Amino acid sequence: MRRGRAALASLSFLLALLVAGSAGADDRPADFHALGVSLGWSRLAVLDRSASDLTYIGHLPTLGLGWELRRGGNIFAVRLRAGILGPYYAKQYRHREFDLIESDLHGTETLHADARGVVYTGGLAFTYLRRLLRPAGHRPGVALGATLAEDMVYPQGFVAPGMMLAGTLSPTFALEQPLGRRGLLTVGARMPVLAVVSRMPYHGTVSRPERGLLGGFVSQRTEVESLGRFRQVQWSLALQTRLGRRWLGGLAYEGTYTYDRDPRPLRSVQHSLLASIAFDFSARKGN
């Protein structure tokens, strides 16, 4: 909780700096060609009944790399994201421990281990949007398109809830609202209509010596799923503002709700706060 409050306070401070720093800018970042990095903090909560009836939570620093081209009626974006979550533990039993008993010729020894672990997360997304209405003056813009994405949640340690590999195809919506001549506020949403999902089988074993851990995990249960079995709603609120002629700064909030029915129901909610900086290749001296 303290980490989440500290991250929120830091990002609020950055937001104030971005708005103040862009007050003298002459260009709205409605059109640009930029490559940038993002850094933020996420909170993940998972109830995965294939592994446990307990809700697992954790917080993770998140690092991202993104490329975006907004030109005329088209928006193209590629995004790579990675994070490490830890500690990852049962919400109801934060300090839960295991007793491990080892016996050999010299006797028996009892070892204590925390019922915690870490979770590696990652994602790659390709998005194309077509502007149906371009932002101009105080008038908002509207864009529709699609996103092709691959996301991974991979726990390690004495935890397994949430393990998933999911490739999705999602209709995508964006609303762009100019903020004077110095910024752009974007509201986005998407939900998959088709997904290829790999999850931990109910028996909880992925080991197959001839395939390795990843091969064993994917080969035991990978299925094509539609809205009846897999649902994922993602939403975002992002501020982009110009910092000088060639640099763009940004702050964003992103949320994701995921539900998967088989082999047993999984529900997860993730909230992320991100700060970003990007270099605008389209800026020209004298513009």
Side-chain angles (χ1 to χ4, degrees):
M1 181 64 71
R2 291 179 180 177
R3 292 179 179 178
R5 289 175 179 173
L8 181 60
S10 299
L11 288 171
S12 299
F13 176 69
L14 285 173
L15 175 60
L17 289 180
L18 289 177
V19 173
S22 64
D26 296 326
D27 297 316
R28 222 177 33 247
D31 282 355
F32 54 84
H33 175 204
L35 179 67
V37 295
S38 63
L39 181 64
W41 199 263
S42 299
R43 182 186 187 276
L44 177 67
V46 177
L47 175 59
D48 180 1
R49 296 192 183 276
S50 287
S52 173
D53 286 330
L54 300 177
T55 298
Y56 277 72
I57 63 171
H59 300 81
L60 67 156
T62 303
L63 178 66
L65 177 66
W67 169 84
E68 190 169 358
L69 173 63
R70 295 175 179 241
R71 187 71 71 242
N74 301 300
I75 301 174
F76 301 89
V78 180
R79 189 177 188 187
L80 178 66
R81 181 76 60 82
I84 301 177
L85 183 157
Y88 187 55
Y89 53 85
K91 179 180 179 181
Q92 298 91 330
Y93 301 98
R94 180 167 184 160
H95 302 292
R96 195 180 191 188
E97 291 185 341
F98 285 113
D99 288 335
L100 305 176
I101 300 176
E102 293 185 352
S103 298
D104 55 25
L105 295 176
H106 304 287
T108 300
E109 182 179 4
T110 301
L111 303 176
H112 301 283
D114 291 333
R116 295 185 173 202
V118 298
V119 176
Y120 297 94
T121 66
L124 178 63
F126 301 87
T127 299
Y128 169 72
L129 295 169
R130 176 67 182 177
R131 279 170 167 156
L132 305 181
L133 180 65
R134 289 199 64 189
H138 296 288
R139 185 188 70 189
V142 176
L144 294 176
T147 298
L148 184 64
E150 182 76 26
D151 293 291
M152 174 197 74
V153 177
Y154 180 60
Q156 281 193 327
F158 289 105
V159 294
M163 182 179 287
M164 177 185 288
L165 189 66
T168 57
L169 176 62
S170 309
T172 304
F173 165 82
L175 176 67
E176 302 173 287
Q177 175 61 56
L179 301 177
R181 296 185 59 83
R182 56 189 175 184
L184 185 71
L185 184 69
T186 302
V187 179
R190 72 178 198 244
M191 185 173 71
V193 294
L194 192 66
V196 180
V197 181
S198 300
R199 277 185 64 194
M200 175 77 78
Y202 181 59
H203 54 70
T205 301
V206 300
S207 178
R208 287 195 175 184
E210 73 280 8
R211 292 180 179 269
L213 291 177
L214 179 60
F217 174 58
V218 173
S219 65
Q220 289 195 63
R221 194 187 178 282
T222 298
E223 297 183 359
V224 178
E225 301 183 2
S226 59
L227 283 173
R229 297 169 58 186
F230 179 85
R231 293 189 291 274
Q232 187 177 71
V233 181
Q234 296 176 291
W235 60 95
S236 63
L237 178 66
L239 170 66
Q240 195 108 38
T241 188
R242 191 168 292 279
L243 304 175
R245 194 175 301 278
R246 288 188 173 271
W247 292 95
L248 298 168
L251 288 174
Y253 159 76
E254 298 177 357
T256 302
Y257 169 80
T258 302
Y259 168 81
D260 188 52
R261 191 184 69 183
D262 300 319
R264 289 196 172 187
L266 174 147
R267 289 180 174 83
S268 70
V269 179
Q270 182 168 340
H271 301 283
S272 302
L273 293 171
L274 303 162
S276 64
I277 186 76
F279 182 81
D280 184 2
F281 293 94
S282 64
R284 295 289 184 271
K285 187 175 181 180
N287 284 353

